[in-house]
Amino acid sequence: MKIIVDGMGGDNAPSAVVEGAILASRETEHHIAIIGREDLISSELAKHRYDSQKISVVNATEVISNDDAPVRAVRSKKDSSIVKGINMVKKGEGDIFISAGSTGALLAGGLFILGRIQGIDRPALASVYPILGGIPSLLVDAGANADCKPNNLLEFGVMGSIYMEKVIGRDNPRVGLVNIGTEAAKGSTLTKAAFDLLEQSHLNFLGNVEAREVPKGACDVIVTDGFTGNVLLKLTEGLAWNILQVIKKKFTDGAKAKLGAALLMNKMKELKSEFDYSEYGGAPILGIRGPIVKMHGSSSANAVKNTILKGIPYVSENVVDTIQNSVLEIEEITLSEY
């Protein structure tokens, strides 16, 4: 397997990307190709000891920034790390593309270059969602589609279930639809119609889940439109970070507090790690004809390493083909409803 990593994407590129790729190369036999400005990447590689047989550099002279209009940038910056990396996957020169760069450009590049899986209307961003004291869930959609139709939410549930089962190893994952109440009749026109479709599917559909139950692990696959999903994800991240800051401040306020903090240091580290996105890897873009994974923009070397390692089963378990084979059921349910 050949893993293509964007060396120019993210706030800490290329240093964190290079270091993370080296760390990952020590834990896998697969080849890692870092794509981007060869001079900068080679300079970073020179600072580390690594196996040159397992890491290579692919030169790309252009960079797509978050300030660029995604569609225009994908069409005009043909030699950018994102466009060139996705093209390598299309040509069979790489098996998966991983980037901490522009989400919009990755979505546009995936659609224009690789194309949608036939029968999937909207590709979705699937983000690992931390659960208090439990195994993380998967949030679909995390921001790719602000406006959705009922069949899109059905697609998100099917694709998320396949990813959870094949990549994360959760058998028969529980699917929940984010809503303002648990009753089937609650919610908007969108969620009511989506409820009916999900109920007809082969999925292990639990029904509606309220936002307050999501952090407790109410379901394994959290289905919602991209607008709601993105707000839910960022609210959770912000709330967790602020709570940890308050706890830190309380535990360093005075000698007695510091003594208590010292005794609880290991537990504090465990709590922090539960909300640390770098432990979970990146967010796959599901529904396109090739594996693309989006890393957090501020990814550290540890986050890059984990994303690379956790991206391997995305390829080895043939997630893209499995989603393609599940499209027929989605179409049958949708046609029977409408």
Side-chain angles (χ1 to χ4, degrees):
M1 185 185 301
K2 190 172 186 178
I3 302 161
I4 313 297
V5 184
D6 182 1
M8 310 309 295
D11 303 333
N12 303 313
S15 58
V17 177
V18 169
E19 184 181 352
I22 292 171
L23 292 173
S25 72
R26 294 170 183 165
E27 298 185 29
T28 180
E29 294 303 313
H30 298 298
H31 187 87
I32 301 170
I34 307 173
I35 188 167
R37 287 184 52 184
E38 190 171 13
D39 55 337
L40 296 179
I41 295 170
S42 297
S43 177
E44 288 296 328
L45 282 169
K47 299 176 183 178
H48 304 271
R49 300 175 73 178
Y50 67 97
D51 185 348
S52 59
Q53 298 299 309
K54 296 171 72 176
I55 293 181
S56 61
V57 181
V58 177
N59 188 41
T61 60
E62 296 177 297
V63 177
I64 295 177
S65 73
N66 287 322
D67 295 326
D68 290 326
V71 174
R72 185 182 303 169
V74 167
R75 287 174 173 168
S76 62
K77 294 187 174 182
K78 301 295 186 183
D79 202 49
S80 64
S81 54
I82 287 178
V83 173
K84 199 165 183 177
I86 296 175
N87 267 310
M88 288 180 70
V89 173
K90 181 179 181 180
K91 296 174 183 176
E93 298 170 357
D95 296 289
I96 183 171
F97 180 63
I98 296 170
S99 174
S102 164
T103 303
L106 287 169
L107 284 164
L111 284 168
F112 295 155
I113 297 169
L114 296 173
R116 289 175 298 173
I117 290 175
Q118 187 175 1
I120 294 295
D121 184 41
R122 301 273 189 90
L125 195 62
S127 179
V128 172
Y129 187 93
I131 298 300
L132 291 170
I135 303 171
S137 298
L138 190 72
L139 175 65
V140 193
D141 178 18
N145 305 282
D147 297 305
C148 291
K149 295 177 288 187
N151 63 293
N152 299 142
L153 300 189
L154 172 62
E155 293 170 359
F156 299 165
V158 171
M159 294 191 295
S161 292
I162 290 169
Y163 188 86
M164 281 295 284
E165 190 166 345
K166 296 288 187 179
V167 177
I168 301 181
R170 196 81 54 84
D171 291 332
N172 197 27
R174 300 165 301 150
V175 178
L177 177 65
V178 176
N179 208 332
I180 58 173
T182 58
E183 300 89 347
K186 279 286 184 75
S188 63
T189 303
L190 170 65
T191 55
K192 289 176 184 177
F195 184 100
D196 292 339
L197 294 178
L198 287 162
E199 200 170 37
Q200 294 178 54
S201 72
H202 74 284
L203 301 173
N204 183 11
F205 180 54
L206 302 181
N208 293 324
V209 294
E210 295 185 70
R212 65 184 176 187
E213 301 300 324
V214 170
K216 300 178 185 179
C219 56
D220 301 313
V221 180
I222 308 159
V223 175
T224 186
D225 61 272
F227 183 92
T228 304
N230 193 266
V231 171
L232 181 60
L233 185 64
K234 289 179 178 176
L235 176 62
T236 304
E237 288 177 348
L239 186 60
W241 187 87
N242 280 288
I243 289 174
L244 289 172
Q245 293 303 306
V246 170
I247 293 174
K248 182 179 179 181
K249 184 178 180 180
K250 294 289 186 183
F251 276 14
T252 54
D253 186 14
K256 290 184 178 179
K258 289 179 181 178
L259 178 61
L263 295 173
L264 294 171
M265 186 61 68
N266 289 336
K267 291 299 180 182
M268 289 295 294
K269 287 180 179 178
E270 290 175 13
L271 179 61
K272 184 179 179 182
S273 68
E274 286 193 29
F275 291 100
D276 187 359
Y277 69 85
S278 69
E279 296 295 325
Y280 302 121
I285 300 175
L286 303 176
I288 55 177
R289 293 202 301 261
I292 295 179
V293 177
K294 169 69 172 73
M295 292 187 289
H296 200 289
S298 58
S299 288
S300 62
N302 186 55
V304 175
K305 180 200 78 170
N306 286 326
T307 301
I308 291 171
L309 295 177
K310 292 179 180 180
I312 291 170
Y314 192 177
V315 179
S316 62
E317 294 297 324
N318 298 313
V319 172
V320 173
D321 290 341
T322 306
I323 291 173
Q324 175 67 81
N325 293 335
S326 299
V327 166
L328 183 60
E329 185 201 8
I330 296 174
E331 292 176 338
E332 288 177 350
I333 293 171
T334 306
L335 287 172
S336 67
E337 185 71 15
Y338 298 106

